[in-house]
Amino acid sequence: MEKSKRFEVLRRSMVKEQIEARGVRDKLVLSAFKVLPRHLFVPEDLQDSAYDDAPLPIGGGQTISQPYIVALMSEALDVSSGDKVLEVGTGSGYQAGILAAMGCKVYSIEKDPVLSKKAEKALASCGLGEEVKFFVGDGTLGLPEFAPYDAIIVTAGAPSVPPALKEQLRPEEGVLVIPVGTMGSQELLKIVREGDLYRQISLGGVRFVPLTGERGW
């Protein structure tokens, strides 16, 4: 079987067995996972493991998250096509690619310029380069110049919720999804803004690399 066909089979199996089987039902999310080639977002020597049920190292001490966790967080954002989303922690670019494939306008900020450039190249190779705007900087401060956002997603573990991210949500039902806890273990939180109030929902325990920056580690 040629490589591209084999990856397509693995990708569809990933969606069915790792994502749908665990309860993810959002059609936009499932459709994005079926079309986005995850193997293009990992180092070449790890491409055969790209569709495994596990995170993978991508360099710079960072990882590409387990597919199910990316799907869970994407679904929790409650976004629709055309929504504006801020991603804190570009990493491999895969999460940004999923959101772009869902039809979102994505603003992605990464502290490591090398990772940001790699992610930009990976997304361009998938034909999604125009759908994501890349920035290098301290994501714990958000990107206030483009606020408010319909949703904000943080792809690294924070010691607490950065106030700037809450403030940059749209006031009516803006959603922030963020892992909060210690360096080794976090609770995945969904925070919904209702004017000056913020409703918090726990999505369970997770393990992310530390979020660095002024309001991170």
Side-chain angles (χ1 to χ4, degrees), residues 3-19:
K3 204 169 188 179
S4 61
K5 184 65 176 176
R6 181 166 61 85
F7 282 139
E8 183 181 346
V9 170
L10 289 172
R11 187 160 60 249
R12 292 191 171 273
S13 176
M14 173 191 75
V15 173
K16 183 177 180 181
E17 297 173 11
Q18 299 177 35
I19 297 172

Side-chain angles (χ1 to χ4, degrees), residues 95-191:
Q95 175 71 80
I98 289 293
L99 293 168
M102 290 168 63
C104 297
K105 300 172 184 175
V106 185
Y107 297 77
S108 188
I109 183 167
E110 168 61 51
K111 207 169 184 188
D112 185 334
V114 174
L115 283 179
S116 182
K117 185 57 66 177
K118 284 182 180 178
E120 190 171 356
K121 287 178 66 176
L123 280 162
S125 72
C126 301
L128 292 169
E130 298 297 316
E131 313 303 320
V132 182
K133 297 186 183 302
F134 295 90
F135 301 86
V136 174
D138 184 351
T140 69
L141 305 178
L143 282 172
E145 58 267 43
F146 301 105
Y149 300 96
D150 298 297
I152 298 175
I153 185 169
V154 181
T155 60
S160 60
V161 181
L165 300 185
K166 293 167 70 174
E167 292 163 4
Q168 289 171 34
L169 287 172
R170 73 170 190 231
E172 310 82 17
E173 302 293 316
V175 175
L176 167 63
V177 174
I178 179 172
V180 176
T182 67
M183 281 196 178
S185 176
Q186 304 93 30
E187 181 180 16
L188 187 61
L189 301 178
K190 175 178 179 177
I191 298 169

Side-chain angles (χ1 to χ4, degrees), residues 7-85:
F7 282 139
E8 183 181 346
V9 170
L10 289 172
R11 187 160 60 249
R12 292 191 171 273
S13 176
M14 173 191 75
V15 173
K16 183 177 180 181
E17 297 173 11
Q18 299 177 35
I19 297 172
E20 286 187 284
R22 288 181 171 131
V24 175
R25 294 288 178 265
D26 188 300
K27 291 182 179 179
L28 278 180
V29 174
L30 297 175
S31 176
F33 271 83
K34 287 174 183 175
V35 300
L36 192 66
R38 183 177 164 90
H39 60 278
L40 296 182
F41 294 86
V42 303
E44 194 169 349
D45 62 333
L46 293 176
Q47 286 191 346
D48 285 341
S49 302
Y51 299 97
D52 290 356
D53 187 20
L56 293 170
I58 57 170
Q62 304 298 307
T63 61
I64 181 173
S65 295
Q66 175 189 10
Y68 167 67
I69 294 297
V70 178
L72 174 67
M73 294 175 75
S74 300
E75 183 174 60
L77 291 174
D78 290 331
V79 290
S80 302
S81 182
D83 280 356
K84 184 164 63 170
V85 181

